[in-house]
Amino acid sequence: MRLSAAPIAIVGAMHEELAALLAAMPDAQPETVAGRPFWRGHLEGHPVVAVLSRIGKVAAATTAAVLLDRYGARAVLFTGVAGGLGAGVAVGDVVVARELLQHDMDASPLFPRHEVPLTGLTRFAADAALAEALAGAAAEVLADLPTHLPPEARAEFALAGARLHRGLVLSGDRFVATAAESAALRAELPDALAVEMEGAAVAQVCHDWGVPFAAVRTISDRADDAAHTDFGRFVARVASPFSAAIVRRCLTRL
């Protein structure tokens, strides 16, 4: 394990997504910066700073800028939930991003659709080593599901066959919650696996700073007309313990 004085940042959009991780950091000391609580402590032998980014791209970008400028984070890991888009990406599955794209970025005709102006980029690549560590950790957690989730939670959300996926994750400033919206995204970006509201913004900020970034998302819904159903229960009962287990195992690989 490589030790460093610079912290690894762990980011989630909602408290429920970070609750189990924070419970594993008894030495965490919170402080409020830019209206957000940042917890500094240690996890699996690493100095870490955990933070709730809040929801949406601007909020996430603000959080990332604070992490890099004020806390000097040496890497950023984003964890949380997403809606499934790709064929075979089911509730309870885990997606590790290879690339991230802002599906609502459109400065055309000045720039091509989805391209972030003045960067020449539509897709921001996750750091290969960090993403590999996250994927390995996620595979271990999924292979040992009974250790991390009680049987009633596995039964309620039919998680027995949960799988790992790696590929493109979309971000945008709307909660995709209709079958028509998700179908439109699949038609426009057929290789997209999942959609959420923060990751690509954090990836852009980390790209600007030259800091490694990776993201893991547990699929909470299929981004369709039933996307809101039991969302809160899924986050609390499944996504939070998944996030904690995957991130902790990932840290042991760094």
Side-chain angles (χ1 to χ4, degrees):
M1 179 170 58
R2 181 165 61 90
L3 298 179
S4 171
I8 295 172
I10 302 168
V11 186
M14 298 186 295
H15 177 75
E16 293 84 355
E17 293 170 340
L18 282 185
L21 272 173
L22 294 175
M25 295 169 54
D27 68 334
Q29 296 297 316
E31 63 177 337
T32 300
V33 182
R36 293 154 172 75
F38 291 76
W39 289 270
R40 302 172 84 166
H42 292 80
L43 196 60
E44 304 300 337
H46 290 275
V48 301
V49 54
V51 60
L52 301 172
S53 68
R54 300 184 179 178
I55 297 170
K57 292 190 301 178
V58 173
T62 297
T63 304
V66 173
L67 283 168
L68 300 177
D69 187 56
R70 182 182 180 109
Y71 292 96
R74 64 183 174 96
V76 178
L77 300 177
F78 205 113
T79 181
V81 297
L85 287 177
V89 180
V91 172
D93 285 0
V94 174
V95 173
V96 173
R98 293 188 190 273
E99 298 176 303
L100 300 100
L101 175 150
Q102 298 178 44
H103 66 78
D104 56 356
M105 172 61 71
D106 188 1
S108 60
L110 301 178
F111 299 90
R113 179 166 171 78
H114 299 135
E115 182 176 308
V116 175
L118 308 181
T119 68
L121 297 172
T122 59
R123 301 181 181 211
F124 289 83
D127 180 80
L130 271 181
E132 189 65 32
L134 272 178
E140 290 179 3
V141 169
L142 290 172
D144 193 20
L145 213 56
T147 300
H148 305 287
L149 295 177
E152 57 271 20
R154 301 197 306 273
E156 179 179 358
F157 296 101
L159 301 180
R163 298 188 299 164
L164 171 66
H165 308 267
R166 302 182 67 181
L168 176 64
V169 173
L170 308 182
S171 305
D173 280 320
R174 70 175 188 266
F175 183 77
V176 178
T178 69
E181 286 180 292
S182 58
L185 289 175
R186 281 192 293 272
E188 187 171 28
L189 297 157
D191 59 331
L193 296 178
V195 59
E196 33 88 323
M197 298 180 67
E198 298 86 22
V202 179
Q204 181 181 340
V205 174
C206 288
H207 174 270
D208 290 347
W209 252 269
V211 171
F213 170 78
V216 58
R217 295 283 188 165
T218 303
I219 300 302
S220 59
D221 56 79
R222 278 291 298 173
D224 55 18
D225 300 281
H228 63 284
T229 304
D230 293 329
F231 177 81
R233 283 176 59 80
F234 182 89
V235 171
R237 301 194 65 190
V238 177
S240 184
F242 262 22
S243 293
I246 292 169
V247 170
R248 293 182 71 176
R249 291 204 184 195
C250 176
L251 291 176
T252 66
R253 294 167 171 259
L254 302 180

